[in-house]
Amino acid sequence: MSKNFAAISQSIVDAIGGAQNVAAVTHCMTRLRFVLNDESVVDAATLKAITGVMGVVRNEKQCQVIIGNNVSQAYAEVLKLLPEGFSASDDSAAPSKNKITLKRIGSGILDALIGTMSPLIPAIIGGSMVKLLAMILDMTGVFDKGASTLVILNTIGDGAFFFLPVMVAASAAVKFKTNMSLAIAIAGILVHPAFIDLMAKAAQGQKVEFIGISVTAVKYTYTVIPALCMTWLLSYIEKWVDRITPVVTKNFLKPMLIMLIAAPIAIMLIGPLGIWIGTGISAVVYTVHSYLGWLSVAIMGAAWPLLVMTGMHRVFTPTIIQTIAETGKEGMVMPSEIGANLSLGGSSLAVAWRTKNPELRQTALAAAASAIVAGISEPALYGVALRLKRPLIACLISGFICGGVAGLGGLASHSMASPGLFTSVQFFDPSNPMSIVWVVGVMVLAVVISFFTTLLLGFEDIPVETVAPKNTAPESTASAAFAVSQSAVK
């Protein structure tokens, strides 16, 4: 892949209609996510043909451009092309005159969830891996049980989870374009020690009221949905209060009214409702798991690449985070990713082995390394599997088999880092030494099955473009063209 990100970014911005067509832009681990003013002016064919672009996903006014692991460098160059003072936030919730439909509502909810959670993933992964490190140090006896070093490490790792509502509120405030400090302050109420103690008493049966209204006992630490819903509502409360407060009192009366209106609504209505929604989603996912067992992991392993293609995989992020925070592990979605990620890596290795195209070979090798070593599968998905089609079928087959094996082995993740070679330690269970054997077996199986299945199914190789030398005779030029056409046929 070309390293000239300035040129790549310029080509991308031109293909999506120029800088004036960009309403907002952000990025996740592998994608540039544009919100456009006019989706119809996008030159999709040109965009997909840009060297360095691995794929394009379009949804409503969003245009997601898959770059790969170096997306942050392309993002930095894109920002240089946008007008000075441009807000680099993802705001796909721009006003729209289109009719409200179930599809648009679903798309809006999904976008809000992804746009809010994506910026928090590094902190969550970092925290979970630190907790995992503390667990390993405790298991190996490097430190005594209850040693202060272990306590501090666990506290460092737990910070992102315990204060997750505050982090979600800050991220959602950017997404919904509302006051971040007010969003953080209201979310902070939910994790305040005095409020936590009050909720604990309410859970034990003690009556808790606010101005005569009963308050539902809810534990907000480690949760996502309540703070997300609360901040969305705050964005409307802030606009309404701004309209009714006199100009001379805005400095003190406006924030005071917002706090007095939003905080009680969050505590008595939005918070409990958000908890019920989050609990309901988790219940559905893990009820399916309890009934189908290993088969549910197998199905998820086969479906995972398709979910990533549509962006639907992020729907599971809050459920995974909350499950790990509450139980210490997650045993359905994360284990299915082992086979899915490494299958894409193994399939890419097979493409690199078989292809005659040097550029495709380099892309496939880089994508394979990303998927197998780091667990970042999108370069392999968009740069190889989806591009050649049959390798994707091989990955779905391998993902199903390896997901089933992971389910039979009872594998569960103690972190939510993308499963790969370096992060496979998250599946090691101190109480079950055989978990090491199972996870290593699943990884080897995923690479081997996808590799040979890809070779068995075959794929249509991308022909190498041959340019004739300038001083070539007409006969030689014709021969070279004939050779190229024959190579394409083969």
Side-chain angles (χ1 to χ4, degrees):
M1 175 180 165
S2 172
K3 299 297 181 183
N4 188 356
F5 291 105
I8 294 173
S9 300
Q10 181 66 66
S11 299
I12 291 172
V13 171
D14 291 341
I16 62 175
Q20 70 279 2
N21 195 35
V22 179
V25 61
T26 185
H27 74 91
C28 55
M29 297 181 75
T30 57
R31 309 182 188 192
L32 291 170
R33 301 178 72 239
F34 293 95
V35 178
L36 306 177
N37 294 316
D38 184 359
E39 192 268 349
S40 64
V41 302
V42 176
D43 188 343
T46 300
L47 187 59
K48 293 177 182 178
I50 296 171
T51 300
V53 172
M54 297 180 176
V56 177
V57 178
R58 298 170 70 180
N59 180 20
E60 296 289 341
K61 286 192 174 183
Q62 273 202 29
C63 182
Q64 300 178 26
V65 182
I66 294 86
I67 301 296
N69 296 339
N70 295 317
V71 66
S72 60
Q73 298 178 52
Y75 175 71
E77 294 296 335
V78 167
L79 291 182
K80 294 177 183 178
L81 302 173
L82 302 180
E84 185 176 352
F86 181 86
S87 175
S89 62
D90 183 6
D91 178 28
S92 61
S96 175
K97 296 181 180 179
N98 295 332
K99 185 185 294 185
I100 296 176
T101 63
L102 288 176
K103 181 180 178 181
R104 290 184 62 82
I105 292 173
S107 176
I109 293 173
L110 177 61
D111 179 71
L113 190 60
I114 295 172
T116 298
M117 295 306 299
S118 291
L120 306 183
I121 297 299
I124 292 167
I125 291 176
S128 60
M129 293 306 291
V130 171
K131 290 181 71 174
L132 194 59
L133 172 63
M135 185 185 73
I136 293 171
L137 291 175
D138 186 25
M139 179 181 67
T140 55
V142 175
F143 297 99
D144 295 333
K145 295 288 183 181
S148 57
T149 299
L150 292 178
V151 174
I152 292 173
L153 281 175
N154 274 306
T155 303
I156 293 171
D158 202 42
F161 291 98
F162 188 89
F163 293 102
L164 192 57
V166 177
M167 294 169 59
V168 168
S171 182
V174 175
K175 176 67 182 175
F176 298 125
K177 289 185 177 286
T178 190
N179 189 290
M180 184 183 293
S181 63
L182 289 172
I184 291 173
I186 296 170
I189 296 168
L190 305 180
V191 295
H192 192 285
F195 186 75
I196 291 175
D197 182 59
L198 197 61
M199 290 296 96
K201 292 176 180 177
Q204 295 171 1
Q206 181 175 320
K207 191 174 183 180
V208 176
E209 293 182 340
F210 179 74
I211 56 174
I213 303 173
S214 180
V215 179
T216 304
V218 175
K219 181 181 178 182
Y220 292 99
T221 53
Y222 307 96
T223 61
V224 173
I225 303 297
L228 178 60
C229 296
M230 177 206 72
T231 308
W232 170 74
L233 183 63
L234 175 65
S235 66
Y236 291 94
I237 293 175
E238 183 183 12
K239 292 174 185 176
W240 179 73
V241 171
D242 185 63
R243 286 199 300 268
I244 66 170
T245 50
V247 175
V248 294
T249 64
K250 283 190 186 295
N251 286 343
F252 63 92
L253 185 59
K254 177 184 172 181
M256 175 186 172
L257 288 176
I258 290 173
M259 291 286 288
L260 285 176
I261 295 171
I265 292 176
I267 292 171
M268 294 184 289
L269 178 62
I270 299 298
L273 181 61
I275 288 292
W276 295 332
I277 293 172
T279 302
I281 294 172
S282 298
V284 170
V285 171
Y286 295 107
T287 297
V288 171
H289 184 212
S290 65
Y291 277 104
L292 298 181
W294 65 269
L295 183 59
S296 65
V297 186
I299 294 171
M300 185 66 73
W304 193 254
L306 306 179
L307 293 172
V308 172
M309 285 166 53
T310 61
M312 287 291 291
H313 63 304
R314 292 298 183 196
V315 170
F316 295 98
T317 299
T319 300
I320 295 171
I321 294 171
Q322 193 160 331
T323 302
I324 293 176
E326 292 177 352
T327 67
K329 59 184 179 181
E330 195 280 326
M332 178 182 171
V333 181
M334 295 299 293
S336 72
E337 284 190 63
I338 310 173
N341 288 350
L342 272 77
S343 291
L344 284 161
S347 183
S348 297
L349 284 177
V351 170
W353 174 278
R354 178 66 62 83
T355 184
K356 299 296 189 294
N357 188 316
E359 184 178 350
L360 177 59
R361 182 179 295 111
Q362 291 179 17
T363 299
L365 287 173
S370 173
I372 295 173
V373 177
I376 305 298
S377 63
E378 287 181 303
L381 176 60
Y382 291 102
V384 180
L386 189 59
R387 188 178 180 185
L388 302 176
K389 297 180 177 63
R390 288 185 185 175
L392 178 60
I393 297 174
C395 292
L396 301 185
I397 295 170
S398 178
F400 180 85
I401 296 172
C402 296
V405 173
L408 286 171
L411 292 179
S413 175
H414 301 274
S415 167
M416 67 162 295
S418 296
L421 183 62
F422 283 172
T423 56
S424 59
V425 66
Q426 67 187 315
F427 294 96
F428 296 171
D429 185 353
S431 63
N432 180 20
M434 279 301 293
S435 61
I436 299 176
V437 178
W438 278 102
V439 72
V440 171
V442 169
M443 290 192 295
V444 172
L445 202 60
V447 174
V448 171
I449 292 177
S450 60
F451 183 90
F452 286 106
T453 306
T454 301
L455 294 181
L456 182 64
L457 294 177
F459 57 90
E460 186 177 349
D461 200 3
I462 298 175
V464 181
E465 295 182 5
T466 304
V467 180
K470 291 182 180 179
N471 298 324
T472 303
E475 294 80 2
S476 301
T477 304
S479 299
F482 178 79
V484 171
S485 66
Q486 290 298 306
S487 173
V489 171
K490 291 180 183 178

